[in-house]
Amino acid sequence: MTPEEFEAVVFEAMDSLPEWVHDALDNIQVLVLDEADEELDPDGEGLLGLYVGLPLPERGVDYAGELPDVIYIFRHPHLELELPHDELREEIAKTLIHEIAHYFGIEDDHLEDIGWG
């Protein structure tokens, strides 16, 4: 999957989210990179995605003028899963939803409990 095709899948998944999700997203950016650099993945875990920012529930009334939070989706680790095309698209969407959940303040252990970990 080319970088352009991968990015298109990410943004198709984003577009397919319910309107309430789009309405709740504030000051956040989604970026597609080939892979995480050492700063984003210091342990070299081969992350599929990463949320960097201040989760929505932690934002106070004084939250203003901040740089956008970022959701990173990493292409190479997804491709290394060697999934069939349809399953890869599902995995990309799942990664995006997982990172958006972090934006909403949902932790990894809860995501694992509900099958999104």
Side-chain angles (χ1 to χ4, degrees):
M1 185 178 287
T2 68
E4 295 79 17
E5 292 169 332
F6 188 90
E7 189 169 298
V9 170
V10 170
F11 289 103
E12 286 171 19
M14 189 76 183
D15 289 343
S16 73
L17 296 173
E19 188 174 328
W20 70 264
V21 174
H22 289 277
D23 291 345
L25 294 175
D26 178 50
N27 201 32
I28 190 161
Q29 182 177 21
V30 177
L31 296 176
V32 176
L33 300 176
D34 279 339
E35 54 193 296
D37 61 19
E38 190 173 299
E39 183 178 328
L40 294 174
D41 186 12
D43 297 327
E45 296 179 24
L47 300 174
L48 296 175
L50 179 67
Y51 167 71
V52 177
L54 186 64
L56 197 59
E58 296 177 24
R59 296 178 184 186
V61 294
D62 59 342
Y63 181 84
E66 301 292 329
L67 291 173
D69 292 2
V70 180
I71 290 175
Y72 295 98
I73 306 295
F74 303 113
R75 186 172 74 96
H76 286 164
H78 277 92
L79 298 180
E80 289 168 4
L81 297 173
E82 298 182 359
L83 297 171
H85 188 74
D86 288 344
E87 289 179 35
L88 178 59
R89 293 174 68 87
E90 289 175 15
E91 186 63 36
I92 293 167
K94 183 177 177 180
T95 300
L96 177 66
I97 292 167
H98 180 103
E99 301 310 329
I100 289 173
H102 288 314
Y103 165 83
F104 284 111
I106 302 171
E107 300 291 332
D108 278 331
D109 55 350
H110 181 69
L111 290 169
E112 287 178 22
D113 289 345
I114 62 172
W116 285 89

